[in-house]
Amino acid sequence: MRTTMGVAAASAAVLLIAGCGGGGPRSSEGEKLTDGKIVLGVLNDQSGAYSELSGKNSVKAVEMAVADFKAKHGDKAVTGDITVVTADHQNKPDVANTRAAEMYDRKAVDAIFDVPTSSAAEKVADVAKEKRKPYFNITAATTTLSGVKCNKYTFHYAYDTYMLANGTGRNSTEQGARNWYMVYPNYQFGQDMEKSFSTAVEAAGGRVVARDAAPFPNTSGDYSTYLLKAPTLNPRPDVLGTMQAGAELVNLVKQYNEFKLRDKGIGLAVGLMFLTDIHSLTPAALSGTVYTDAWYWNYDVQNRKFADRFQAETGTRPTFAHAANYSAATQYLEAVQASGSDDADTVVGALEGKEVEDLFLRNGKIRAEDHRVVHDAYLAQVKPAVEVTEPWDYVKILKTIPAAEAFKAPSPDCKM
Amino acid sequence: MTGFLQNTFNGLVSGAFYALLALGLAVIFGMLRVVNFAHGAFYMLGAFGAYILLAEVGVPFWWALVLVPTGLGLFGMLLERAFVHRLTRLDPLYNFLLTFGLTLILQDVVKSRYGIQSSPYATPAELGGSVDLGLFDFPTYRVFILLFAVAVCAGVWWLLTHTRIGVVVRAATERPELTRAFGIDVGRWVTPVFGFGVGLAGLAGVLAAPMRAVNPLMGADLIIVVFAVVVIGGLGSIFGSVAAGFGIGLIQAWGEAYAPPIVAQTLVFIVMAAVLLLRPAGLFGREESSA
């Protein structure tokens, strides 16, 4: 009897040791996490101007990343307890600031994602730095996030003004659009974009014939002054470069068509455009327009597969913001898995310098110097209406812009 | 010279929208003494009405031009009976809060159904070309808006000066107490006049759909300028609202073409401030009597 007890105790002890050392049971691995769980925070605009291009569907994309991560790692996952929390920052810097602090402090959020609107994104970068917690910016365009505002915990993921300007400005100029007329909204984003675009155009041997700041907000909703001016300029511009966004872009494009500028030989290049913008304007209104895209849903089989799943969940096709949120959440979770820890410094260390290939990041690399996440970008052109054979498939990719060319070299302004 | 004329034409087209909206505001204010903050939302509903008719029912622009203002006019009458009416005897602040609240509700209802992104609406094919005006070509649709808005304003003017309803409305607008003293039942006309004003905003919305972004917030920016227009024209002055509407359209267009952007951006409010300093009741307004 005593012998049997001894054997049982011995085998129990062996099993226990094996269990601990073998890395199998999730409970013992979970203890490596500070609180046994991972909470991802999506902080973005849920009802305003950016709510459709990102918004609630970005939350859905992050949830898809969590589901895929759990399915991939199963019992071997660093923890099974991964949740997604979300908040609306209404594109206001002060609200973003408060919500971000609240997420890190009270909601036990391990990493924040998305955060459109440059001014709000900069505030969140400050909070991330102060709280020493990771922050993946997806939808803000300002290069300051990997410049003066860069810090150890902030990663700038999808795109920035340099990528847009260099992609569209430089490539269009190289492809023959030598003379440009720039129209931009008179506030920081518009002014920055105009400067970046003009620099890119001139660097490629083109010329900016004229540049005009339009009132912002443009209460009259009318752009005819600029549209009428375009054909009278000398030399006559080959392309009208517009830096307007959202409803202002819609107004401008509708009126561009009204004045038939394309028929007069003046093409249209848009500084920043999302798939949702093309959808609301219709491809017919934009046909021939050139812009730079960070990702396109129907680019290849892998993207299309994701887009089909995304559509089943949300009823719409993903914008690049959605795909990038999915990718950032995946890369964060994989880094936690690989390092077996949710300690911010450890995870950041695991991400720095990493070369990545995933749904969104093609030839991707997370630069250690400034945390700019570089990847291939695409020069896109809206198809003529007759070539659009299925809803949302509005674009043909003219050219892949290699990662090294798409983004600018680390800025000396960035002191990690 | 050609450029100046083109800018002038475009200013008048922008002005046509201001005039139609200001006209509705002026009629409503004159009769009800209600500053209708929901006017921008009704303009937005007009554009969405056109969009819904075309995209979901297949009803073209021309029918929308009749159906949408009529429908919105009836909706306006319903709102007047259900809400506005009950508050007219109270402090004007109550109606301000009511119409402001209505704006938020209407915007959110549309936003929850159609999203924040603009909805597509193409220019009707018949109006897609351009008209040769001698010195330059001008988009047919813009010529149409200009002629149509002028015709509507003239029509309203004729109604006010040549019909019995018009006489009552003008009398009640200018001297409400005296009109009542003559035994005229002003109250009877309040509801249809409110509906009429709302219908005009809806009409402006339908006209805007082909050339402007159709989204839930489209009225919010515009209405600020329209209020400035009404103040410049003289609160309650029907002629003043129309004249100031076209005038402000012109000033904005010239400003954008010839003034530095920072001035163009604030020109309307500079003009408003100047007018208020020189003529506190607006260009065509009269000082309110204490009666």
Side-chain angles (χ1 to χ4, degrees), chain A residues 89-90 112 168 198 207 259 274 303-304 323 359:
Chain A
H89 75 344
Q90 300 162 28
I112 289 178
T168 311
S198 297
R207 174 176 170 192
F259 284 99
F274 289 86
N303 290 8
R304 176 143 196 136
L359 171 80

Side-chain angles (χ1 to χ4, degrees), chain A residues 236 256-267, chain B residues 128-130:
Chain A
R236 195 182 168 102
Y256 168 87
N257 286 315
E258 229 190 313
F259 284 99
K260 306 214 178 309
L261 288 194
R262 196 178 298 284
D263 298 347
K264 294 175 184 160
I266 299 169
Chain B
S130 56

Side-chain angles (χ1 to χ4, degrees), chain B residues 235-276:
Chain B
L235 210 56
S237 164
I238 287 159
F239 177 75
S241 303
V242 173
F246 282 105
I248 286 300
L250 279 176
I251 286 172
Q252 270 193 329
W254 289 333
E256 275 168 26
Y258 308 112
I262 190 73
V263 177
Q265 208 155 333
T266 45
L267 205 53
V268 175
F269 302 101
I270 296 171
V271 171
M272 184 175 83
V275 167
L276 286 181

